[in-house]
Amino acid sequence: MKQSLRATLKRGSFAGIATAGAAALMLSGCGAAPDAGSGGKTASNYTGCIVSDSGGFDDQSFNQSSYDGMKKAEKDLGINFKSAESKSNSDFETNLNGMMSAGCNLTVTVGFLLGDATKKAAADNTDKHFAIIDFAYDKPIANIKPIVYDTAQAAYLAGYAAAATSKTGKVGTFGGKKIPTVTIFMDGFYDGVQAYNKAKGKSVQVVGWDKTTQDGSFTGDFEKQDTGKQVTKNLLDQGADIILPVAGPVGKGAGAALKEAKAAGKDVKLIWVDSDGFLTAPEYKDLMLTSIVKKMDEAVGVVVKDDKDGKFSNEAYVGTLANDGVAIAPFHDLDSAVSAETKSELDALKADIVSGKLVVESKASPKK
């Protein structure tokens, strides 16, 4: 029997369904005073806060999903809410200091790149609680809860689906920065393609990433959409017809390149990351084969509730297929592009991963 959301998270898991879309965002500028949400006018004496990485809260990806979770907590729990959007890495410490000055009880930081700044803020404010998404420390820190995801498991399924759907026999991927929370997607995707090749006696190629050498295509940041567009064009020129960008807002550049390719008569498709792109990036929904989803919104909501209820824990939460922390999104409008046979095989692969019969491994996989 499936356990409650709170109970499973306490054991390092949770279940639920990703939220659709994002609320209109009122964002604070870099290094500015935190922006107070409507919850700031409630009688609550609890304040939940969130600091983005440089991708911003409207990235249609992991910053936005995490923000949605905090906004939902504001509505459901009646808490005060404050946010600070980072425009660059140099804003991290300033924004965190602003949250401490604003009296935040729990501050959620979004992304691997905030690891050092969050650790410093936690050391300087031991009476405050923190949660960091996509980062885990070598040694547990008493007042920081890591929220991490074994994304390779879901990416494996996406890779298999991409290989089965490709018309050219080539699929492509690229990352923003070469960091573990990016390469874990690329590793899983690569292995999923190889699994399809082995099962079907095919030779679908992955352009843009080699898991063995851990080398591939990267834009160098999570901001420059034009660079993402050019990298995508390069992958298309090499014959790829399905593209997986793992680069936050830079993924919009991939979407733009694919829209142009489709308008020129090419049969191309897009795979989104972190959120269900069909819902959060609807301008590309006619290209969206599927998405590799990390259910950050729900994890944030539960961590906030537990902290408000006096039940904070620094034990890491690891999202997996088994606890529904990661998933692939429905095929939506492109459902007919995926055969019934492939869908059945994906169901079987997921069951094998959940049972432990099939182990998906990446150098970047979080410790369980």
Side-chain angles (χ1 to χ4, degrees), residues 10 20 64 89 96 186 194 214 227 257 266 298 310 324 340:
K10 287 180 179 178
Q64 181 170 310
N89 294 9
L96 277 164
M186 300 165 85
Q194 309 315 313
Q214 291 287 292
T227 306
K266 290 188 177 181
E298 296 186 5
D324 202 34

Side-chain angles (χ1 to χ4, degrees), residues 97-117:
N97 287 340
M99 291 304 184
M100 298 304 96
S101 298
C104 299
N105 297 93
L106 173 75
T107 300
V108 177
T109 59
V110 188
F112 181 91
L113 298 176
L114 279 101
D116 289 343

Side-chain angles (χ1 to χ4, degrees), residues 322-340:
N323 62 35
D324 202 34
V326 298
I328 59 169
F331 300 115
H332 293 295
D333 287 355
L334 295 184
D335 188 74
S336 62
V338 183
S339 70

Side-chain angles (χ1 to χ4, degrees), residues 11 36 40 84 90 112 153 169 172 199 219 246-248 288 308 325:
R11 296 197 310 272
S90 62
F112 181 91
Q153 294 184 346
T219 62
V246 191
M288 204 73 66
K308 182 176 181 291

Side-chain angles (χ1 to χ4, degrees), residues 8 10 15 17 32 59 72 83 102 136 142 144 173 181 218 224 226 231-232 267 272-273 287 308 323 348:
T8 53
K10 287 180 179 178
I17 301 173
D59 64 354
K72 189 172 188 300
S83 65
I144 304 179
T173 185
T181 50
F218 295 88
K224 298 183 180 66
D226 286 346
V231 170
T232 300
D267 184 1
W272 206 246
V273 297
L287 299 164
K308 182 176 181 291
N323 62 35

Side-chain angles (χ1 to χ4, degrees), residues 13-14 148-150 153 317-327 368:
S13 61
F14 74 96
V148 293
Y149 298 85
D150 198 350
Q153 294 184 346
Y317 161 74
V318 181
T320 65
L321 285 176
N323 62 35
D324 202 34
V326 298
K368 305 276 196 318

Side-chain angles (χ1 to χ4, degrees), residues 26-29 32-42 44-52 57 66-75 78-85 95-110 128 300 304:
M26 295 182 63
L27 307 176
S28 61
D35 175 44
S38 60
K41 298 178 181 180
T42 71
S44 172
N45 59 0
Y46 181 92
T47 301
C49 303
I50 188 166
V51 175
S52 80
F57 291 125
S66 304
Y67 183 94
D68 287 348
M70 188 64 79
K71 287 294 291 182
K72 189 172 188 300
E74 178 194 22
K75 178 181 177 181
I79 65 171
N80 301 323
F81 167 71
K82 297 182 185 298
S83 65
E85 184 175 58
N95 283 336
L96 277 164
N97 287 340
M99 291 304 184
M100 298 304 96
S101 298
C104 299
N105 297 93
L106 173 75
T107 300
V108 177
T109 59
V110 188
K128 303 292 186 181
V300 167
V304 171

